[in-house]
Amino acid sequence: MAIERTFSIIKPDAVKRDLIGKICSRFETNGLRIVAMRMVHMSRREAEGFYAVHRERPFFKSLCDYMTSGPSLVMILEGEDAIAHNRKLMGATDPAKADKETIRADFGESLERNSVHGSDAPATAATEIAWFFAASDIHSAR
């Protein structure tokens, strides 16, 4: 398996509930290294741009309202098969349907307030990473 990078967000609901350390610990104890991170409070424009792929979906407005409601922690994770590995750690988008002991099952409150976001493919990861980070912000542990 190849070393790759993925993008992750600890969303406003989890930040508000002081879950940053618990969630980051899940990544690190499961083989993913945090190679860049920063706290952001997305503007409406940033949220609408980041989630533009969902613009025509009925949940777009509420998603943007939620993502601008408070600070989030954005980060880049690195490790073997990082995208798939992170998605497995997160669990299903709906916490009620997520496997036990996944981040969303343990910390998510609802389908929208599910505590974390993670890239779903290499192209998406590259786009999402570039949205929040410059190359000089990334410091690989290798």
Side-chain angles (χ1 to χ4, degrees):
M1 291 188 189
I3 299 294
E4 64 184 6
R5 290 182 176 152
T6 191
F7 178 76
S8 182
I9 301 175
I10 299 179
K11 295 180 178 181
D13 67 286
V15 171
K16 184 177 181 179
R17 291 181 290 135
D18 297 321
L19 296 173
I20 291 171
K22 289 179 181 179
I23 293 172
C24 287
S25 178
R26 294 274 182 106
F27 298 140
E28 291 179 324
T29 59
N30 285 284
L32 294 172
R33 287 176 302 286
I34 300 168
V35 297
M37 70 171 12
R38 69 184 178 100
M39 189 77 76
V40 300
H41 192 145
M42 283 190 221
S43 69
R44 185 72 185 192
R45 190 171 131 227
E46 287 172 320
E48 288 176 352
F50 184 78
Y51 288 106
V53 67
H54 299 303
R55 186 171 301 282
E56 302 304 319
R57 309 287 294 268
F59 59 83
F60 179 73
K61 182 184 180 313
S62 66
L63 174 62
C64 291
D65 290 344
Y66 163 58
M67 292 303 293
T68 59
S69 69
S72 297
L73 187 75
V74 296
M75 68 186 86
I76 302 170
L77 305 173
E78 182 179 80
E80 287 189 24
D81 202 22
I83 295 167
H85 193 57
N86 184 42
R87 294 191 66 76
K88 184 175 180 181
L89 289 173
M90 288 189 310
T93 304
D94 184 347
K97 297 177 181 174
D99 290 341
K100 290 182 186 212
E101 299 183 10
T102 61
I103 294 168
R104 288 176 172 153
D106 290 346
F107 304 123
E109 298 177 314
S110 67
L111 180 60
E112 183 173 80
R113 296 179 183 275
N114 60 16
S115 297
V116 290
H117 163 87
S119 301
D120 62 0
T124 309
T127 299
E128 292 178 344
I129 287 168
W131 188 264
F132 287 101
F133 295 97
S136 62
D137 296 328
I138 305 167
H139 303 283
S140 180
R142 291 187 176 259

